[in-house]
Amino acid sequence: MENELNSLLTRVGKLFFNYGIKSLTMDDIARELGISKKTLYQYVSNKEDLVEKTLNNLDCEKDKEFEENVDYTLNAVESLWKVNFMVSKMIREQNPSAEFDLKKYYPKIYSKFRVNRMEKIKSMVINNIRQGKKEGLYREDVDETLIAKFYLSRINHSMEINSVFTHAELSDPNFMPQVIQYHIRGIANSQGIKVLEQLLLNEKSNI
C-alpha cells in the first residue's frame, strides 16, 4: 500500500510540475493517473491532503537522491563543490508556476515545506563548515551558525518570485557554481582556496 501511494504521489508531482497546482481538479488528476476518483480518495482525504503528501514524497525523494550522491571520502571543499551540481539540477527542475500556486493557495503547507527544506540546508552548511575546520581548510574564526543563516538568506532571496534574478538566470548552469565559489572564498583559509582553485582548473580542463 505504501509503495503504491509513493508511486502515485510521484506521478502527481509530475502533473503539478507540468500543469501547476491550482488548475488541476481531483477529477483531472484521477483521469491523468488512469484511476477513478473514488480510488484516489482511498489514499487522500481531499486535494489539500494530496498536495501535502505529494510534497512530503518529493522531499523524501530528494533526500534519497542527495544521500546516494554523497561521497564521504571528499574533503569539505570538494563535497560542497559537488553539492552545487545537485542544487543546480533541483533549481532547473523547479516550476515557478507550481511554486506560486503552492505559496498562494496552500500557504501553511508551503511554509512547512520551506522551513523543513531550509533547516536541512542549514544543517548541511554547518556540518560542512565543521568538517572544513577539522581538515584545516576553513578559517577557525568562522561562526558556523551565522554563516549558515547568511547562506540561507542569500539562497532564499534568490528564489523569491520578486527576486532580482529571473528563473532563467537561476537555472543557468553557471549560477550555483558562482554562489558556491563566493561562499567558499569567504570562509576558506589559504589551503582551502588552493583546493578550490584546483577544482576550477580541473573543471576547465574537462571542458
Side-chain angles (χ1 to χ4, degrees), residues 91-106:
I91 293 174
R92 289 195 300 272
E93 290 175 349
Q94 280 184 331
N95 183 331
S97 175
E99 186 146 353
F100 176 81
D101 285 353
L102 184 63
K103 188 174 183 179
K104 182 174 181 179
Y105 300 106
Y106 302 94

Side-chain angles (χ1 to χ4, degrees), residues 69-84:
N69 283 278
V70 169
D71 186 344
Y72 292 100
T73 67
L74 301 179
N75 64 47
V77 176
E78 292 168 336
S79 178
L80 198 56
W81 187 250
K82 185 175 181 181
V83 164
N84 93 69

Side-chain angles (χ1 to χ4, degrees), residues 165-182:
F165 297 105
T166 65
H167 182 66
E169 288 172 326
L170 291 173
S171 302
D172 190 306
N174 196 43
F175 178 80
M176 276 310 298
Q178 289 292 324
V179 172
I180 295 295
Q181 276 194 65
Y182 181 83

